[in-house]
Amino acid sequence: DTAVSQTPKYLVTQMGNDKSIKCEQNLGHDTMYWYKQDSKKFLKIMFSYNNKELIINETVPNRFSPKSPDKAHLNLHINSLELGDSAVYFCASSPRVNLAGGSNEQFFGPGTRLTVL
Amino acid sequence: GQQVMQIPQYQHVQEGEDFTTYCNSSTTLSNIQWYKQRPGGHPVFLIQLVKSGEVKKQKRLTFQFGEAKKNSSLHITATQTTDVGTYFCAGPQYGNKLVFGAGTILRVKS
């Protein structure tokens, strides 16, 4: 009965490879996110989608490409993996975009620990 | 751009001692959220503060939002080993974008 799920939980791969991480939420939320958490626990947003539309695209190398086939899914594809991509990647979702500048509680997935060798 | 600073970075306390983490924003916030991440886990929403000077309590946790809505604190009374983890504050920037503080890692010695 997981609210936000991610696969895989662990990903170990060689430099230069291409990999994907999948995320699904069954909460009926409109907005989904990808975050990167580095070894110092710093949590930084990468992308956000609202109803399949990209609304936040932070300064992220274009090797990272998010895809939202429907509002319940947000996948992350990474090309030409580099050592610096090693981190924990969290998917999250929230009920709606609040255009008035407020915010809503975000529900995080369990994370995908990516190790690039 | 907006920055959210959080101190201290680490705190080791003896079980039963109190703990406080502080959050400061470079801009006025419409609201502030707090999250807890257990070791090996994912961030979990604790609370949102909206009003200037607001104080909210959850059992042994007390959350405050400053009068100017630029700072916030989380205080834990009489820490327990179950309190270990990283505590994050987060402020909205636009839309539903949250800017997270760097987090405070709490370790509790029993």
Side-chain angles (χ1 to χ4, degrees):
Chain A
D1 221 33
T2 310
V4 182
S5 59
Q6 292 179 230
T7 52
K9 190 167 173 62
Y10 300 96
L11 190 49
V12 181
T13 188
Q14 299 285 334
M15 262 195 324
N17 284 350
D18 303 339
K19 290 293 177 186
S20 291
I21 308 171
K22 295 186 176 182
C23 178
E24 176 181 1
Q25 54 96 3
N26 62 7
L27 297 166
H29 289 167
D30 291 329
T31 312
M32 295 185 72
Y33 314 80
W34 277 111
Y35 286 88
K36 179 180 180 181
Q37 186 172 51
D38 61 24
S39 57
K40 294 184 178 177
K41 297 289 190 185
F42 189 66
L43 200 58
K44 185 168 168 46
I45 190 166
M46 301 172 68
F47 302 102
S48 176
Y49 273 73
N50 183 56
N51 256 325
K52 303 192 295 176
E53 182 185 346
L54 180 67
I55 55 169
I56 296 173
N57 185 350
E58 293 295 290
T59 312
V60 177
N62 57 16
R63 298 182 295 104
F64 291 78
S65 51
K67 282 206 175 107
S68 182
D70 55 63
K71 77 173 193 176
H73 295 85
L74 180 61
N75 304 323
L76 183 65
H77 187 77
I78 315 170
N79 289 324
S80 304
L81 279 155
E82 300 177 357
L83 294 177
D85 297 333
S86 296
V88 180
Y89 291 83
F90 287 103
C91 176
S93 71
S94 67
R96 72 185 73 80
V97 174
N98 185 334
L99 298 175
S103 54
N104 292 299
E105 170 186 353
Q106 294 190 10
F107 294 77
F108 283 77
T112 296
R113 182 173 292 277
L114 171 65
T115 303
V116 182
L117 304 173
Chain B
Q2 177 193 37
Q3 291 186 19
V4 176
M5 290 145 289
Q6 196 174 347
I7 57 167
Q9 190 176 4
Y10 302 96
Q11 186 86 58
H12 289 203
V13 300
Q14 193 70 37
E15 189 173 21
E17 290 181 341
D18 292 355
F19 159 77
T20 306
T21 173
Y22 300 91
C23 189
N24 286 289
S25 169
S26 56
T27 59
T28 301
L29 300 169
S30 60
N31 62 78
I32 192 158
Q33 297 184 9
W34 285 92
Y35 289 77
K36 176 184 178 181
Q37 183 178 16
R38 293 182 188 274
H42 59 277
V44 174
F45 175 83
L46 293 176
I47 208 161
Q48 179 170 255
L49 304 171
V50 178
K51 298 177 185 172
S52 168
E54 188 170 16
V55 178
K56 285 189 176 179
K57 291 194 174 189
Q58 289 179 350
K59 297 182 180 177
R60 293 177 295 103
L61 277 61
T62 302
F63 303 84
Q64 290 189 318
F65 200 10
E67 294 288 342
K69 300 182 76 173
K70 294 181 76 172
N71 57 75
S72 181
S73 64
L74 157 58
H75 179 83
I76 303 178
T77 304
T79 54
Q80 299 175 0
T81 54
T82 52
D83 294 325
V84 297
T86 305
Y87 292 85
F88 293 96
C89 61
Q93 191 165 60
Y94 57 84
N96 254 358
K97 178 183 175 182
L98 287 180
V99 176
F100 281 80
T104 296
I105 298 172
L106 173 63
R107 294 287 177 258
V108 180
K109 294 176 283 190
S110 58

